[in-house]
Amino acid sequence: MIPTKTARRAAAVLAVPALLITAACGSDSKDDAAPKKSGPVAEVSGKFGAEPKIEIAKDAQVSDEVVATDVSTGDGAEVKKGDIVRLDFAGNIEALGSTWAQRQGADPKAPRAQVVQEVGQQGQMLPTKVADALAGHKIGSRVQVEGTAEAIVGQQLNPQSGIKPGDPLVWVVDIVNAKKVDKQAEAKGDQAASEAGMPEVKAASQKAATITIPKGEKAPKDLKEQVLIKGDGAVVKAGEGLVVQYTGVKWEDGEKFDSSWDHGGASAFPIGVGGVIQGWDKGLVGKHVGDRVLLTIPPNQAYGADPSNQLAKNNLVFVVDILGTV
């Protein structure tokens, strides 16, 4: 539901690798056989914050249940269901993905795109069961999560991946940060009037904002931004997880195409690392927690001319409440 480069509407920040999973993460297995339990079978080397090395013996018998154990234990707060976590991860096979892999053409000195995901909700980059297994572990921990493909992915396992239901899957996860978020929070304070040529915004509490495109005005050719409510929180930095409420409309017809309020409230995603559309990365990094920001984004900083995206070629307008960072 966040405006990523490959959004279906304004879809998720990062997508679970299609090689592995065909639909929603999780398991709907109806196998009633007694699960085979065991401890972790993978050997993991490397320190927290550095890319891990994962080794599994060819004859290893992985558990039929999800097993999560600390490789190293951090000294931060314990992660709980409902927390937004920011993390690094690597898998034992390429199809599982890795945050350690640099994006093509990315600045090697720039922050890497990490996963930002809510524990207890359907995942986008990590399968839901892997993220859920982090509950009870501490911030700063390196956690090894493993099980059979059937146990972790279930019926969503992509048959074209070449992975069999009994194959061992291992994720090594570094819990970088975690925070409890009020999903009904919103920016507070007196809202400024929109600048000349910018859309008018009416933001009723607990509802998607009403955004009115100015009559007779052409969409700006460049990214334009205005802080409507000034917050006094921390500055948003590239590489952080950002928690927001948002509403988006098309400049061309003023039609709303998405809002966090339509999906249960606040959403979170990595910012400033190429995970979301360029207009968000440029327009939100450097703002403050507590800000309400109005953005008008031209197609070349949104979805361009991608024929597979229904928002291609559209100029987009967003109102974004910055609620916090993770």
Side-chain angles (χ1 to χ4, degrees), residues 240-315:
E240 291 182 318
L242 194 64
V243 184
V244 302
Q245 303 285 8
Y246 68 93
T247 299
V249 306
K250 294 180 287 184
W251 182 286
E252 286 73 14
D253 58 12
E255 179 183 348
K256 183 185 74 171
F257 57 84
D258 201 12
S259 175
S260 58
W261 293 107
D262 297 337
H263 309 290
S267 298
F269 54 93
I271 191 68
V273 290
V276 292
I277 58 175
Q278 190 179 101
W280 277 48
D281 276 345
K282 288 186 174 182
L284 298 180
V285 170
K287 298 300 188 293
H288 291 78
V289 173
D291 284 354
R292 172 170 292 161
V293 184
L294 173 62
L295 299 172
T296 66
I297 306 175
N300 66 350
Q301 294 188 50
Y303 300 110
D306 180 2
S308 67
N309 194 296
Q310 68 180 34
L311 297 176
K313 300 183 179 180
N314 283 121
N315 293 271

Side-chain angles (χ1 to χ4, degrees), residues 1-246:
M1 289 167 266
I2 296 292
T4 67
K5 292 180 178 179
T6 56
R8 291 182 297 274
R9 291 185 293 151
V13 178
L14 297 166
V16 176
L19 275 175
L20 176 65
I21 295 174
T22 57
C25 304
S27 173
D28 295 315
S29 173
K30 295 179 174 58
D31 185 356
D32 294 327
K36 177 183 67 199
K37 299 180 180 180
S38 67
V41 298
E43 292 188 8
V44 178
S45 56
K47 296 182 179 180
F48 181 95
E51 185 172 7
K53 183 178 180 180
I54 305 170
E55 297 179 297
I56 303 177
K58 290 184 179 180
D59 59 350
Q61 296 295 309
V62 71
S63 175
D64 286 337
E65 294 185 338
V66 179
V67 176
T69 55
D70 280 0
V71 177
S72 61
T73 302
D75 57 6
E78 188 175 283
V79 175
K80 298 179 180 179
K81 183 178 179 180
D83 284 356
I84 302 294
V85 292
R86 177 163 59 91
L87 54 87
D88 277 304
F89 81 93
N92 66 311
I93 58 175
E94 186 177 357
L96 304 189
S98 171
T99 58
W100 300 102
Q102 276 284 358
R103 292 175 182 268
Q104 187 175 5
D107 181 352
K109 296 181 180 180
R112 286 178 295 102
Q114 297 172 313
V115 171
V116 178
Q117 186 164 319
E118 182 178 345
V119 176
Q121 293 292 321
Q122 179 177 311
Q124 297 297 340
M125 190 63 180
L126 284 182
T128 305
K129 287 191 174 183
V130 176
D132 288 358
L134 302 178
H137 298 265
K138 294 182 177 181
I139 297 170
S141 296
R142 168 162 286 184
V143 183
Q144 178 176 334
V145 183
E146 62 182 49
T148 62
E150 174 69 17
I152 293 177
V153 182
Q155 293 182 346
Q156 283 75 44
L157 181 64
N158 187 342
Q160 297 179 355
S161 68
I163 300 171
K164 299 177 182 178
D167 286 349
L169 300 183
V170 180
W171 284 260
V172 176
V173 180
D174 286 359
I175 305 174
V176 178
N177 203 355
K179 186 178 291 186
K180 183 67 176 178
V181 171
D182 178 2
K183 299 193 75 171
Q184 303 306 307
E186 55 196 343
K188 300 291 186 182
D190 294 332
Q191 180 176 299
S194 298
E195 297 171 352
M198 291 285 275
E200 179 185 354
V201 176
K202 294 182 179 179
S205 181
Q206 305 294 298
K207 294 181 180 180
T210 299
I211 303 171
T212 304
I213 307 301
K215 291 183 179 180
E217 289 283 347
K218 292 184 178 180
K221 293 182 179 180
D222 298 313
L223 173 70
K224 290 194 68 176
E225 53 192 81
Q226 181 186 353
V227 176
L228 299 176
I229 295 177
K230 293 183 178 181
D232 57 4
V235 174
V236 176
K237 299 176 182 178
E240 291 182 318
L242 194 64
V243 184
V244 302
Q245 303 285 8
Y246 68 93

